[in-house]
Amino acid sequence: MAEVDESTKPLFAGLSDVSISEDIPVEGEISVPVDSPTQDDEYSTLDEPVKETILRDLKAVGKKFVHVLYPKKSTALLRDWDLWGPLLLCVTLALMLQRSSTDSKEDGGPQFAEVFVLIWFGSVVITLNSKLLGGTISFFQSLCVLGYCILPLTVAMIICRLVLLGSEGIVSFIIRFIVVIVSFGWSTFASTAFLADSQPPNRKALVVYPIFLFYFVISWMILTFAPSSSSSTKTVGH
Amino acid sequence: MTARKMASPHDFSFQEFEEAAELLSANPDASTHSTARLENVNVGMNMEDDEDAQEETEMLTRQKKNFKFWSFEYYQSFFNIDTFQVLDRIKGSVLPLPGRSFVKHHLRNNPDLYGPFWICATLALIMAISGNVSTFLNESGDSNYHYSPQFHKVTVACVIIYCYAWLVPLGLWGFLQWRTNQSRSLSNYSFLETVSTYGYSLFIYIPAAVLCVIPEGWVHWLIFLLATVVSGSVLIFTFWPILSDDTRVAALSTMVAIIVLHLLLAVCCKFYFFPITQQPLPLTTTAASLVNVTASAPKAHAV
């Protein structure tokens, strides 16, 4: 211990003699830059125009939509997760599914809040389930995937609403049924393609089943969406 | 070595326990069964399988309880289950055999929460959906009927099913725990095993609810009766072995309470989710015609 003190003492002693003057080359800038950051400072996104920021995020969201529509086992959806897309899809779906104010209070479809809570709470529960069963995916990555895979169902909802504008009979029901079934299968397949790899192999079915149930419930809500008719007569079942 | 062989059986069994415990502490994930067996190959006295398995499971459950309840691993230990195990348990709940306790034969000291949780969720959803479809098929001939998804029934179904499947086992376990403390001859299942049994016993109601889409009153009653018999017998065969150690009166009354609660659940669900409006009886014909008249009057106004 004494040796260390002796060897360091001369170093420290010598340092006090050094003075920074012009003839000693000192590296780096010690003067504070006064003017605004130049073009070299490309990592700061604080000063870019707002349009650029929004477009960049929208492009990321759009790219992920394309990944969902053509699901391959790519990790792009998992790597740069974001929750903007799920929020957008969830709000759109909930807005379209909510019952109108002329419907009776008791019966009828779900409210906006009910759909919203169902989607987010359902996603959280499924993510917790997969983590408890030993999955290696992170919490927000899983939320991101589950939210993005609602896209086919949102498209189906839009199609159903358009079909319902036309007619309300048995033909429209068959068309809506086929559209909802196809999009339900698409959603489940897409989310399984992204999430299945992160699970232990002998528990894959245990993880896929809640996802299946989740999209089944959303499909059911889309299929049974009935626009309120003008004659709000007594509805059955109180 | 020869000196040890001359030792009494009790000393020898204690020896095995110590060695296995040491091995377990060295490598917590290893199963103690095979290594313990290898050490005592030439025992000569046929070690009962039950005792061996019991020690192994005691050590494993002790290992489970070592996690703190605020750590994630504690809850992960309740989901330590594979697909084929879940399927095997579901099969056991659908085909109850007398003498085969669900806890002993299927749970085998590894109760899980995956089955109860997702079976309850599926059951609540299927009952609400199936009830909705059944009502629609029943009333579609009625011109006054306007289809509605009845989404609030899903919430009600969730509350009923989850309360039944989690609070009733809690009450039963608490009651049995109290009886166990009173008399020494009783033993009790753990709370998780009770919840698991109740959760898996509800599985038979899922296909029953799907079949109840058929909008006939007698079909509903028949299906619900069959499902209650199957589900109730799972509970009976599981709980009777530990109840029978108690006094006759207490055992019978507890069993009756279990069955009555189960029946109550089935009947309430039947009435709430699958209401079948009967053909109007002569007493109510005038009331029905009054309703029709008053209903059509505002319709005429609206048009």
Side-chain angles (χ1 to χ4, degrees):
Chain A
M1 294 289 274
E3 288 175 336
V4 175
D5 284 342
E6 276 176 0
S7 60
T8 50
K9 259 190 184 159
L11 270 176
F12 287 137
L15 211 58
S16 58
D17 297 342
V18 174
S19 63
I20 298 176
S21 57
E22 290 82 20
D23 50 328
I24 296 180
V26 176
E27 289 187 9
E29 278 284 328
I30 56 169
S31 61
V32 177
V34 179
D35 32 322
S36 54
T38 57
Q39 294 286 330
D40 309 324
D41 198 3
E42 63 225 15
Y43 293 105
S44 158
T45 58
L46 200 59
D47 291 314
E48 62 179 7
V50 175
K51 186 177 85 162
E52 228 175 87
T53 316
I54 294 181
L55 275 180
R56 186 179 56 238
D57 282 330
L58 278 180
K59 259 188 236 161
V61 168
K63 225 185 297 183
K64 291 205 186 65
F65 280 170
V66 171
H67 275 288
V68 169
L69 288 177
Y70 299 104
K72 305 187 292 271
K73 277 192 176 40
S74 74
T75 53
L77 206 69
L78 296 178
R79 219 180 16 231
D80 325 309
W81 59 267
D82 74 278
L83 293 178
W84 284 115
L87 182 67
L88 201 65
L89 289 171
C90 180
V91 167
T92 315
L93 196 60
L95 275 175
M96 288 197 286
L97 270 177
Q98 62 174 343
R99 63 167 170 255
S100 63
S101 50
T102 57
D103 261 346
S104 63
K105 290 278 181 292
E106 272 292 303
D107 282 339
Q111 299 274 20
F112 177 89
E114 282 173 351
V115 179
F116 201 84
V117 162
L118 181 81
I119 292 180
W120 285 104
F121 188 64
S123 304
V124 166
V125 165
I126 293 175
T127 310
L128 274 179
N129 176 64
S130 84
K131 284 189 80 74
L132 282 168
L133 281 170
T136 53
I137 200 169
S138 98
F139 184 74
F140 286 108
Q141 278 174 345
S142 176
L143 278 186
C144 167
V145 169
L146 287 169
Y148 269 104
C149 289
I150 296 182
L151 176 68
L153 286 168
T154 313
V155 169
M157 181 73 211
I158 297 175
I159 296 177
C160 282
R161 272 218 107 136
L162 291 173
V163 168
L164 277 172
L165 280 178
S167 65
E168 270 192 43
I170 192 86
V171 174
S172 88
F173 177 74
I174 294 177
I175 297 176
R176 283 187 292 138
F177 185 74
I178 295 175
V179 166
V180 167
I181 290 275
V182 165
S183 59
F184 162 61
W186 203 339
S187 288
T188 313
F189 173 69
S191 61
T192 319
F194 289 117
L195 289 178
D197 284 336
S198 60
Q199 308 302 327
N202 49 350
R203 295 179 184 182
K204 277 207 170 55
L206 295 184
V207 171
V208 168
Y209 172 70
I211 300 178
F212 169 87
L213 196 65
F214 176 61
Y215 289 127
F216 179 75
V217 172
I218 300 181
S219 317
W220 174 257
M221 286 200 296
I222 293 175
L223 186 62
T224 61
F225 174 74
S228 67
S229 54
S230 55
S231 61
S232 53
T233 54
K234 71 168 175 73
T235 47
V236 188
H238 32 262
Chain B
M1 221 33 207
T2 41
R4 280 202 187 142
K5 265 193 187 165
M6 302 290 249
S8 66
H10 289 297
D11 288 344
F12 213 97
S13 65
F14 186 71
Q15 170 76 13
E16 183 194 68
F17 182 87
E18 232 179 16
E19 279 177 355
E22 277 172 13
L23 286 166
L24 187 64
S25 58
N27 184 9
D29 293 328
S31 80
T32 57
H33 201 72
S34 52
T35 45
R37 278 271 166 84
L38 279 171
E39 302 273 358
N40 298 301
V41 153
N42 291 323
V43 167
M45 56 181 207
N46 204 354
M47 192 76 167
E48 298 88 312
D49 276 314
D50 280 340
E51 224 177 286
D52 211 0
Q54 199 185 18
E55 280 171 8
E56 174 197 339
T57 50
E58 269 173 23
M59 281 185 278
L60 285 175
T61 46
R62 215 164 290 146
Q63 196 66 19
K64 244 188 256 183
K65 285 174 191 152
N66 282 342
F67 293 123
K68 302 278 183 228
F69 79 92
W70 55 76
S71 75
F72 193 68
E73 285 79 16
Y74 180 76
Y75 298 104
Q76 229 169 3
S77 62
F78 302 145
F79 283 77
N80 190 19
I81 191 163
D82 293 335
T83 310
F84 76 92
Q85 277 176 312
V86 172
L87 291 174
D88 174 63
R89 288 171 190 196
I90 289 177
K91 221 176 353 176
S93 78
V94 171
L95 303 165
L97 295 171
R100 294 183 76 141
S101 157
F102 186 77
V103 172
K104 286 243 168 3
H105 271 94
H106 294 278
L107 287 188
R108 285 185 212 207
N109 282 306
N110 187 22
D112 69 301
L113 287 183
Y114 177 89
F117 184 77
W118 287 109
I119 290 177
C120 291
T122 314
L123 182 62
L125 288 165
I126 295 287
M127 266 213 296
I129 290 176
S130 172
N132 193 238
V133 173
S134 165
T135 315
F136 169 70
L137 288 175
N138 192 34
E139 304 280 340
S140 57
D142 192 1
S143 58
N144 284 340
Y145 175 67
H146 170 63
Y147 174 74
S148 68
Q150 294 171 335
F151 192 71
H152 66 285
K153 290 206 170 176
V154 176
T155 325
V156 172
C158 279
V159 168
I160 294 179
I161 303 288
Y162 273 100
C163 280
Y164 178 80
W166 294 76
L167 292 182
V168 170
L170 181 67
L172 181 66
W173 174 79
F175 173 74
L176 286 174
Q177 199 70 9
W178 173 65
R179 298 296 298 180
T180 314
N181 288 339
Q182 298 239 308
S183 80
R184 220 166 291 161
S185 59
L186 283 182
S187 62
N188 192 12
Y189 298 134
S190 73
F191 173 62
L192 275 177
E193 285 169 343
T194 322
V195 167
S196 285
T197 312
Y198 263 87
Y200 279 105
S201 75
L202 287 177
F203 177 79
I204 186 71
Y205 285 113
I206 296 179
V210 170
L211 282 175
C212 279
V213 171
I214 307 166
E216 288 288 330
W218 63 270
V219 170
H220 291 179
W221 282 114
L222 183 68
I223 292 175
F224 262 100
L225 196 66
L226 282 174
T228 312
V229 163
V230 171
S231 174
S233 43
V234 171
L235 292 177
I236 292 175
F237 295 145
T238 307
F239 287 107
W240 184 249
I242 55 169
L243 280 180
S244 57
D245 293 332
D246 206 351
T247 64
R248 195 89 186 147
V249 173
L252 278 176
S253 53
T254 316
M255 193 47 78
V256 165
I258 294 177
I259 297 172
V260 162
L261 278 172
H262 215 63
L263 267 174
L264 208 62
L265 175 79
V267 166
C268 286
C269 287
K270 195 272 165 222
F271 273 123
Y272 187 69
F273 293 104
F274 302 98
I276 295 289
T277 55
Q278 309 291 333
Q279 295 298 321
L281 302 169
L283 287 170
T284 55
T285 326
T286 44
S289 57
L290 272 173
V291 166
N292 275 338
V293 164
T294 48
S296 56
K299 230 176 128 176
H301 278 294
V303 172

PDB file of all heavy atoms in Angstrom, chain A residues 192-211:
ATOM      1  N   THR A 192     -49.524 -15.298 -34.849  1.00  0.00           N
ATOM      2  CA  THR A 192     -48.795 -16.529 -34.504  1.00  0.00           C
ATOM      3  C   THR A 192     -47.448 -16.573 -35.205  1.00  0.00           C
ATOM      4  O   THR A 192     -46.462 -17.031 -34.631  1.00  0.00           O
ATOM      5  CB  THR A 192     -49.622 -17.755 -34.915  1.00  0.00           C
ATOM      6  OG1 THR A 192     -50.983 -17.530 -34.589  1.00  0.00           O
ATOM      7  CG2 THR A 192     -49.131 -18.988 -34.211  1.00  0.00           C
ATOM      8  N   ALA A 193     -47.404 -16.088 -36.453  1.00  0.00           N
ATOM      9  CA  ALA A 193     -46.137 -16.091 -37.191  1.00  0.00           C
ATOM     10  C   ALA A 193     -45.093 -15.256 -36.465  1.00  0.00           C
ATOM     11  O   ALA A 193     -43.906 -15.594 -36.471  1.00  0.00           O
ATOM     12  CB  ALA A 193     -46.355 -15.564 -38.606  1.00  0.00           C
ATOM     13  N   PHE A 194     -45.533 -14.163 -35.815  1.00  0.00           N
ATOM     14  CA  PHE A 194     -44.548 -13.318 -35.147  1.00  0.00           C
ATOM     15  C   PHE A 194     -44.211 -13.819 -33.751  1.00  0.00           C
ATOM     16  O   PHE A 194     -43.090 -13.686 -33.291  1.00  0.00           O
ATOM     17  CB  PHE A 194     -45.066 -11.887 -35.050  1.00  0.00           C
ATOM     18  CG  PHE A 194     -45.105 -11.177 -36.366  1.00  0.00           C
ATOM     19  CD1 PHE A 194     -46.292 -10.746 -36.903  1.00  0.00           C
ATOM     20  CD2 PHE A 194     -43.939 -10.956 -37.070  1.00  0.00           C
ATOM     21  CE1 PHE A 194     -46.319 -10.100 -38.122  1.00  0.00           C
ATOM     22  CE2 PHE A 194     -43.961 -10.304 -38.283  1.00  0.00           C
ATOM     23  CZ  PHE A 194     -45.161  -9.878 -38.816  1.00  0.00           C
ATOM     24  N   LEU A 195     -45.212 -14.358 -33.064  1.00  0.00           N
ATOM     25  CA  LEU A 195     -45.013 -14.643 -31.644  1.00  0.00           C
ATOM     26  C   LEU A 195     -44.595 -16.076 -31.356  1.00  0.00           C
ATOM     27  O   LEU A 195     -44.105 -16.361 -30.279  1.00  0.00           O
ATOM     28  CB  LEU A 195     -46.308 -14.362 -30.876  1.00  0.00           C
ATOM     29  CG  LEU A 195     -46.674 -12.897 -30.731  1.00  0.00           C
ATOM     30  CD1 LEU A 195     -47.994 -12.764 -29.998  1.00  0.00           C
ATOM     31  CD2 LEU A 195     -45.605 -12.162 -29.957  1.00  0.00           C
ATOM     32  N   ALA A 196     -44.797 -16.986 -32.326  1.00  0.00           N
ATOM     33  CA  ALA A 196     -44.626 -18.396 -31.970  1.00  0.00           C
ATOM     34  C   ALA A 196     -43.187 -18.757 -31.672  1.00  0.00           C
ATOM     35  O   ALA A 196     -42.924 -19.654 -30.881  1.00  0.00           O
ATOM     36  CB  ALA A 196     -45.166 -19.279 -33.093  1.00  0.00           C
ATOM     37  N   ASP A 197     -42.247 -18.047 -32.288  1.00  0.00           N
ATOM     38  CA  ASP A 197     -40.858 -18.463 -32.132  1.00  0.00           C
ATOM     39  C   ASP A 197     -40.328 -18.226 -30.738  1.00  0.00           C
ATOM     40  O   ASP A 197     -39.362 -18.845 -30.321  1.00  0.00           O
ATOM     41  CB  ASP A 197     -39.985 -17.703 -33.143  1.00  0.00           C
ATOM     42  CG  ASP A 197     -40.162 -18.268 -34.521  1.00  0.00           C
ATOM     43  OD1 ASP A 197     -40.540 -19.446 -34.615  1.00  0.00           O
ATOM     44  OD2 ASP A 197     -39.953 -17.535 -35.493  1.00  0.00           O
ATOM     45  N   SER A 198     -40.936 -17.272 -30.034  1.00  0.00           N
ATOM     46  CA  SER A 198     -40.353 -16.919 -28.747  1.00  0.00           C
ATOM     47  C   SER A 198     -40.851 -17.814 -27.618  1.00  0.00           C
ATOM     48  O   SER A 198     -40.541 -17.584 -26.466  1.00  0.00           O
ATOM     49  CB  SER A 198     -40.684 -15.469 -28.428  1.00  0.00           C
ATOM     50  OG  SER A 198     -42.084 -15.327 -28.375  1.00  0.00           O
ATOM     51  N   GLN A 199     -41.651 -18.826 -27.927  1.00  0.00           N
ATOM     52  CA  GLN A 199     -42.200 -19.673 -26.873  1.00  0.00           C
ATOM     53  C   GLN A 199     -41.449 -20.992 -26.809  1.00  0.00           C
ATOM     54  O   GLN A 199     -40.944 -21.459 -27.821  1.00  0.00           O
ATOM     55  CB  GLN A 199     -43.685 -19.961 -27.146  1.00  0.00           C
ATOM     56  CG  GLN A 199     -44.515 -18.742 -27.384  1.00  0.00           C
ATOM     57  CD  GLN A 199     -44.453 -17.786 -26.231  1.00  0.00           C
ATOM     58  OE1 GLN A 199     -44.328 -18.174 -25.089  1.00  0.00           O
ATOM     59  NE2 GLN A 199     -44.521 -16.507 -26.535  1.00  0.00           N
ATOM     60  N   PRO A 200     -41.410 -21.597 -25.632  1.00  0.00           N
ATOM     61  CA  PRO A 200     -40.865 -22.951 -25.548  1.00  0.00           C
ATOM     62  C   PRO A 200     -41.712 -23.905 -26.393  1.00  0.00           C
ATOM     63  O   PRO A 200     -42.925 -23.762 -26.448  1.00  0.00           O
ATOM     64  CB  PRO A 200     -40.944 -23.291 -24.060  1.00  0.00           C
ATOM     65  CG  PRO A 200     -41.740 -22.242 -23.438  1.00  0.00           C
ATOM     66  CD  PRO A 200     -41.747 -21.052 -24.328  1.00  0.00           C
ATOM     67  N   PRO A 201     -41.073 -24.884 -27.034  1.00  0.00           N
ATOM     68  CA  PRO A 201     -41.766 -25.656 -28.070  1.00  0.00           C
ATOM     69  C   PRO A 201     -42.951 -26.477 -27.574  1.00  0.00           C
ATOM     70  O   PRO A 201     -43.909 -26.660 -28.307  1.00  0.00           O
ATOM     71  CB  PRO A 201     -40.678 -26.576 -28.624  1.00  0.00           C
ATOM     72  CG  PRO A 201     -39.632 -26.614 -27.574  1.00  0.00           C
ATOM     73  CD  PRO A 201     -39.681 -25.300 -26.884  1.00  0.00           C
ATOM     74  N   ASN A 202     -42.908 -26.967 -26.318  1.00  0.00           N
ATOM     75  CA  ASN A 202     -44.014 -27.818 -25.892  1.00  0.00           C
ATOM     76  C   ASN A 202     -45.157 -27.026 -25.281  1.00  0.00           C
ATOM     77  O   ASN A 202     -46.052 -27.601 -24.682  1.00  0.00           O
ATOM     78  CB  ASN A 202     -43.493 -28.871 -24.901  1.00  0.00           C
ATOM     79  CG  ASN A 202     -42.652 -28.229 -23.819  1.00  0.00           C
ATOM     80  OD1 ASN A 202     -42.314 -27.059 -23.907  1.00  0.00           O
ATOM     81  ND2 ASN A 202     -42.316 -28.978 -22.794  1.00  0.00           N
ATOM     82  N   ARG A 203     -45.105 -25.701 -25.407  1.00  0.00           N
ATOM     83  CA  ARG A 203     -46.189 -24.897 -24.851  1.00  0.00           C
ATOM     84  C   ARG A 203     -46.770 -23.963 -25.888  1.00  0.00           C
ATOM     85  O   ARG A 203     -47.506 -23.037 -25.549  1.00  0.00           O
ATOM     86  CB  ARG A 203     -45.678 -24.059 -23.678  1.00  0.00           C
ATOM     87  CG  ARG A 203     -45.243 -24.918 -22.541  1.00  0.00           C
ATOM     88  CD  ARG A 203     -44.732 -24.102 -21.405  1.00  0.00           C
ATOM     89  NE  ARG A 203     -44.243 -24.976 -20.361  1.00  0.00           N
ATOM     90  CZ  ARG A 203     -43.759 -24.564 -19.207  1.00  0.00           C
ATOM     91  NH1 ARG A 203     -43.694 -23.279 -18.961  1.00  0.00           N
ATOM     92  NH2 ARG A 203     -43.338 -25.418 -18.314  1.00  0.00           N
ATOM     93  N   LYS A 204     -46.459 -24.207 -27.147  1.00  0.00           N
ATOM     94  CA  LYS A 204     -46.904 -23.273 -28.186  1.00  0.00           C
ATOM     95  C   LYS A 204     -48.423 -23.197 -28.230  1.00  0.00           C
ATOM     96  O   LYS A 204     -48.986 -22.111 -28.334  1.00  0.00           O
ATOM     97  CB  LYS A 204     -46.371 -23.733 -29.544  1.00  0.00           C
ATOM     98  CG  LYS A 204     -44.963 -23.306 -29.816  1.00  0.00           C
ATOM     99  CD  LYS A 204     -44.733 -23.191 -31.321  1.00  0.00           C
ATOM    100  CE  LYS A 204     -43.417 -22.542 -31.666  1.00  0.00           C
ATOM    101  NZ  LYS A 204     -42.208 -23.088 -31.140  1.00  0.00           N
ATOM    102  N   ALA A 205     -49.080 -24.343 -28.142  1.00  0.00           N
ATOM    103  CA  ALA A 205     -50.539 -24.333 -28.229  1.00  0.00           C
ATOM    104  C   ALA A 205     -51.148 -23.572 -27.064  1.00  0.00           C
ATOM    105  O   ALA A 205     -52.174 -22.892 -27.216  1.00  0.00           O
ATOM    106  CB  ALA A 205     -51.071 -25.761 -28.253  1.00  0.00           C
ATOM    107  N   LEU A 206     -50.512 -23.666 -25.900  1.00  0.00           N
ATOM    108  CA  LEU A 206     -51.037 -22.962 -24.729  1.00  0.00           C
ATOM    109  C   LEU A 206     -50.980 -21.453 -24.919  1.00  0.00           C
ATOM    110  O   LEU A 206     -51.774 -20.726 -24.344  1.00  0.00           O
ATOM    111  CB  LEU A 206     -50.239 -23.335 -23.474  1.00  0.00           C
ATOM    112  CG  LEU A 206     -50.312 -24.779 -23.010  1.00  0.00           C
ATOM    113  CD1 LEU A 206     -49.543 -24.947 -21.723  1.00  0.00           C
ATOM    114  CD2 LEU A 206     -51.745 -25.211 -22.813  1.00  0.00           C
ATOM    115  N   VAL A 207     -50.007 -20.985 -25.711  1.00  0.00           N
ATOM    116  CA  VAL A 207     -49.869 -19.546 -25.925  1.00  0.00           C
ATOM    117  C   VAL A 207     -50.765 -19.100 -27.074  1.00  0.00           C
ATOM    118  O   VAL A 207     -51.321 -18.012 -27.051  1.00  0.00           O
ATOM    119  CB  VAL A 207     -48.395 -19.201 -26.223  1.00  0.00           C
ATOM    120  CG1 VAL A 207     -48.264 -17.781 -26.667  1.00  0.00           C
ATOM    121  CG2 VAL A 207     -47.566 -19.420 -24.990  1.00  0.00           C
ATOM    122  N   VAL A 208     -50.927 -19.959 -28.094  1.00  0.00           N
ATOM    123  CA  VAL A 208     -51.702 -19.557 -29.272  1.00  0.00           C
ATOM    124  C   VAL A 208     -53.186 -19.511 -28.950  1.00  0.00           C
ATOM    125  O   VAL A 208     -53.917 -18.677 -29.495  1.00  0.00           O
ATOM    126  CB  VAL A 208     -51.409 -20.538 -30.424  1.00  0.00           C
ATOM    127  CG1 VAL A 208     -52.381 -20.353 -31.553  1.00  0.00           C
ATOM    128  CG2 VAL A 208     -49.998 -20.342 -30.917  1.00  0.00           C
ATOM    129  N   TYR A 209     -53.645 -20.381 -28.038  1.00  0.00           N
ATOM    130  CA  TYR A 209     -55.083 -20.440 -27.774  1.00  0.00           C
ATOM    131  C   TYR A 209     -55.670 -19.124 -27.260  1.00  0.00           C
ATOM    132  O   TYR A 209     -56.705 -18.671 -27.751  1.00  0.00           O
ATOM    133  CB  TYR A 209     -55.402 -21.586 -26.807  1.00  0.00           C
ATOM    134  CG  TYR A 209     -56.830 -21.566 -26.370  1.00  0.00           C
ATOM    135  CD1 TYR A 209     -57.844 -21.878 -27.261  1.00  0.00           C
ATOM    136  CD2 TYR A 209     -57.187 -21.159 -25.099  1.00  0.00           C
ATOM    137  CE1 TYR A 209     -59.166 -21.815 -26.892  1.00  0.00           C
ATOM    138  CE2 TYR A 209     -58.502 -21.089 -24.718  1.00  0.00           C
ATOM    139  CZ  TYR A 209     -59.492 -21.418 -25.611  1.00  0.00           C
ATOM    140  OH  TYR A 209     -60.792 -21.336 -25.248  1.00  0.00           O
ATOM    141  N   PRO A 210     -55.052 -18.427 -26.284  1.00  0.00           N
ATOM    142  CA  PRO A 210     -55.632 -17.144 -25.868  1.00  0.00           C
ATOM    143  C   PRO A 210     -55.658 -16.103 -26.978  1.00  0.00           C
ATOM    144  O   PRO A 210     -56.583 -15.286 -27.026  1.00  0.00           O
ATOM    145  CB  PRO A 210     -54.716 -16.697 -24.731  1.00  0.00           C
ATOM    146  CG  PRO A 210     -54.128 -17.935 -24.197  1.00  0.00           C
ATOM    147  CD  PRO A 210     -53.931 -18.803 -25.384  1.00  0.00           C
ATOM    148  N   ILE A 211     -54.650 -16.137 -27.870  1.00  0.00           N
ATOM    149  CA  ILE A 211     -54.654 -15.196 -28.996  1.00  0.00           C
ATOM    150  C   ILE A 211     -55.851 -15.492 -29.890  1.00  0.00           C
ATOM    151  O   ILE A 211     -56.563 -14.580 -30.341  1.00  0.00           O
ATOM    152  CB  ILE A 211     -53.334 -15.320 -29.797  1.00  0.00           C
ATOM    153  CG1 ILE A 211     -52.148 -15.017 -28.895  1.00  0.00           C
ATOM    154  CG2 ILE A 211     -53.355 -14.415 -30.993  1.00  0.00           C
ATOM    155  CD1 ILE A 211     -50.822 -15.155 -29.570  1.00  0.00           C
TER     156      ILE A 211
END
